[in-house]
Amino acid sequence: MNPLRLAQIEMFCAVVEEGTVIAASRRLNCVASNVTARIRELELLLGQDLFFREKGRLILTPEGRLFYQKAGPIVSGARDLTDLFEEGRPRGILTIGALDVALEGYLPGIVPHFLADCPEVELRVLLRPTYTLERMLAEGEIDLAVTDGPIVHPLMASRLTFHEKLALAMPGGQTRLRAGPKDRQHVFLFNTDCLYRRFFETWLESHGVTNAVIHTVESYDVILACVQSGLGISCIPRSILLQVRQDRRDGIDFTYPEDLQGSDVYFIWREPGLNDLGRRFLDHIPAVLNIHEK
């Protein structure tokens, strides 16, 4: 079956609402024969008469009444689509993927201002790890990524956002890393797709901890509770640590070893260019923000 065309449905609704083919053609700014032809095509496609034809008059059949009931909202919706993107009214669905550190320490200062200026934009902000964000951006699932960088890629561009520090979290009273065969160091980290986990594993190896028991726990609250209980150590991004209540930090010693690698966090988008809503979002962002100055 051939698909119905919007022009056919629009002409049918115009005839119903105006009462005659002539009046409908005037409203649609076309010749009457065109309206008649489109309605005939519509009836053939549907396999159903929509009008009784009596002495030049068109009277809706029961089937025509049902079709008009279903078609009216379609035509009305199509008219609304014409004005959907009026100049000066940014609209659309902007999807941003971000690391947890960006969601906790950076985007809360940006998103409210953007939405206040663009109230008709639907914003979707997704929490994802580094390597997942890169894949989603490459496949067009998100418009912007806030992730570790820079990314050297011919089809992507980036802008530095902030530098993330990593803190070593150790139970109070533990003064050294455990590296002995009978005194294995327990470590609590996010999953293997977390870049900070890889940084910390490399750091542990450089300090002789090659046989650690690494627990995968994707919750900073649970990780801190385990460290607080003396069960092991972890690394915590400072932007996350700044959001943690003092009672969750009691009994834990936090230090920032100079040789524990942090990362630069970038806004990244696909080339050849960022879409209009993405550019508007970037317009609300300072050139570089030091989120640790609090």
Side-chain angles (χ1 to χ4, degrees):
M1 180 178 178
N2 293 326
L4 302 182
R5 298 177 181 175
L6 180 61
Q8 297 167 335
I9 301 172
E10 186 178 22
M11 289 182 181
F12 166 78
C13 290
V15 171
V16 173
E17 293 162 4
E18 297 295 332
T20 67
V21 169
I22 296 295
S25 68
R26 289 173 184 155
R27 185 173 106 180
L28 298 173
N29 195 27
C30 64
V31 297
S33 60
N34 191 26
V35 175
T36 300
R38 298 293 83 75
I39 290 178
R40 285 293 188 186
E41 290 174 358
L42 182 60
E43 290 178 319
L44 287 172
L45 286 170
L46 294 172
Q48 184 66 56
D49 289 335
L50 299 176
F51 293 100
F52 293 116
R53 291 166 173 83
E54 296 180 353
K55 299 179 181 180
R57 297 176 59 205
L58 294 177
I59 301 173
L60 276 174
T61 64
E63 294 82 4
R65 293 191 196 97
L66 176 62
F67 189 78
Y68 177 69
Q69 182 184 78
K70 301 292 186 181
I74 294 174
V75 174
S76 177
R79 291 172 187 155
D80 291 341
L81 288 176
T82 303
D83 301 324
L84 187 61
F85 302 108
E86 286 183 6
E87 187 175 353
R89 290 175 60 197
R91 304 183 75 173
I93 302 173
L94 181 65
T95 305
I96 299 174
L99 295 175
D100 48 10
V101 294
L103 283 176
E104 292 289 340
Y106 186 71
L107 290 182
I110 305 299
V111 168
H113 297 291
F114 171 74
L115 290 178
D117 288 345
C118 303
E120 296 186 71
V121 171
E122 179 183 333
L123 186 63
R124 297 176 180 174
V125 181
L126 311 176
L127 172 62
R128 297 291 188 275
T130 298
Y131 301 107
T132 301
L133 289 173
E134 294 176 11
R135 177 193 59 78
M136 293 177 72
L137 189 63
E139 295 178 2
E141 297 177 25
I142 56 177
D143 302 296
L144 277 169
V146 197
T147 186
D148 304 285
I151 292 179
V152 180
H153 193 289
L155 299 180
M156 293 187 187
S158 62
R159 172 176 162 182
L160 178 63
T161 303
F162 62 89
H163 180 76
E164 181 58 56
K165 299 178 181 179
L166 293 181
L168 169 64
M170 297 182 65
Q174 181 175 337
T175 58
R176 61 176 181 82
L177 298 173
R178 295 169 181 163
K182 296 183 180 180
D183 188 24
R184 298 176 66 187
Q185 180 67 68
H186 286 249
V187 183
F188 298 90
L189 297 170
F190 271 57
N191 210 341
T192 54
D193 54 3
C194 174
L195 188 64
Y196 299 145
R197 171 174 176 146
R198 300 195 180 187
F199 288 166
F200 197 57
E201 288 176 335
T202 299
W203 183 84
L204 288 172
E205 290 178 4
S206 71
H207 285 262
V209 183
T210 58
N211 63 342
V213 180
I214 298 182
H215 305 275
T216 298
V217 181
E218 296 198 333
S219 164
Y220 286 114
D221 285 340
V222 175
I223 287 174
L224 288 171
C226 291
V227 177
Q228 199 172 40
S229 299
L231 298 176
I233 66 173
S234 184
C235 76
I236 309 292
R238 191 176 183 201
S239 57
I240 297 295
L241 190 55
L242 291 170
Q243 313 299 322
V244 176
R245 300 193 318 266
Q246 183 59 47
D247 62 309
R248 303 306 301 272
R249 301 168 61 166
D250 291 341
I252 304 176
D253 292 333
F254 297 99
T255 58
Y256 293 91
E258 291 185 2
D259 59 343
L260 177 55
Q261 181 180 357
S263 70
D264 290 328
V265 178
Y266 284 72
F267 266 99
I268 300 173
W269 59 90
R270 293 184 306 279
E271 288 287 30
L274 189 59
N275 57 53
D276 179 64
L277 290 183
R279 287 193 298 270
R280 287 177 180 270
F281 192 87
L282 288 185
D283 286 342
H284 289 76
I285 296 171
V288 178
L289 175 68
N290 186 348
I291 61 173
H292 303 137
E293 290 181 351
K294 295 187 178 181

